[in-house]
Amino acid sequence: RDPGVMGDVSDPYVTAQVGEMLQQTPTINNDLNPVWKERNQFAFNVLDHQMDRYLYLEVMNSNMMRDDSLGKIKLDTRSIEAGHWNHYRLKLDEGQGGELEFDVYMKPAEPCKPHGHKDELIGRAEVGMSQFYPHGFEGTVPLFLEEKATQGVLDVFIEVHPQGVKLDPKGP
């Protein structure tokens, strides 16, 4: 609730951010249960899964001097099922018990188009098991060709789901 200078209620708008890309809905004045019917669809290119890993949504209250946050949502883009609309109704963090209802569509990446040239090895990447076990690994790994570093890098995301290990107490 926003008592405001004139005793009005909240004037909400929503910001949506992925990586450095930030977009926002229009402000709806004096409404505690706003529904955005226009300028409420945003497109983001998720190119770098480290930088663009999360969709941040924040409900803001527009004020004359300084806008206030009414609550936030952080959604991992890896949890969004690709290829169809996903409906969410989530409680806002750091707010006063509000929630946000929204839909997200994650368009799968286009498959690589066939090309007229022969594939060639541009480098090899090595990640030691100790770097990603047991919690996974996310990062950039340099590429090597004929034991020499190249200009290339490989963005890697490895998720590990241990299923249990049985060890022989007697050893090998």
Side-chain angles (χ1 to χ4, degrees):
R1 246 181 113 65
D2 173 26
V5 177
M6 304 301 254
D8 63 343
V9 295
S10 296
D11 303 320
Y13 64 91
V14 176
T15 62
Q17 182 173 357
V18 174
E20 298 296 317
M21 300 169 284
L22 178 69
Q23 301 190 45
Q24 125 182 8
T25 67
T27 299
I28 297 180
N29 293 318
N30 299 318
D31 197 333
L32 293 176
N33 296 299
V35 176
W36 287 270
K37 295 183 180 182
E38 57 187 41
R39 297 188 354 237
N40 64 342
Q41 294 185 5
F42 309 119
F44 296 100
N45 288 324
V46 179
L47 301 174
D48 180 342
H49 288 283
Q50 287 178 320
M51 195 168 89
D52 304 336
R53 182 171 172 182
Y54 296 101
L55 167 62
Y56 295 95
L57 298 167
E58 185 167 15
V59 180
M60 300 294 293
N61 179 35
S62 179
N63 290 307
M64 293 275 261
M65 301 302 262
R66 188 173 136 242
D67 295 354
D68 301 315
S69 177
L70 298 173
K72 304 174 184 184
I73 292 172
K74 178 180 173 181
L75 184 65
D76 192 328
T77 59
R78 297 174 304 166
S79 71
I80 303 169
E81 192 172 334
H84 71 275
W85 285 98
N86 298 268
H87 182 78
Y88 296 90
R89 187 175 186 160
L90 302 172
K91 290 231 179 261
L92 297 170
D93 294 332
E94 302 175 23
Q96 298 174 350
E99 58 185 28
L100 184 62
E101 188 170 354
F102 59 98
D103 296 306
V104 176
Y105 184 89
M106 179 72 77
K107 182 179 176 185
E110 296 289 328
C112 293
K113 305 243 187 268
H115 45 77
H117 66 277
K118 189 175 179 181
D119 289 340
E120 61 184 281
L121 179 66
I122 61 169
R124 299 182 189 280
E126 291 186 16
V127 178
M129 185 176 218
S130 63
Q131 281 188 281
F132 67 85
Y133 189 81
H135 302 291
F137 174 79
E138 187 172 4
T140 302
V141 179
L143 293 177
F144 291 86
L145 188 59
E146 297 176 6
E147 307 298 321
K148 294 180 184 172
T150 69
Q151 296 289 331
V153 295
L154 180 65
D155 289 322
V156 178
F157 174 74
I158 300 170
E159 197 166 17
V160 178
H161 297 277
Q163 300 298 313
V165 176
K166 290 186 179 180
L167 299 174
D168 183 356
K170 298 176 190 169

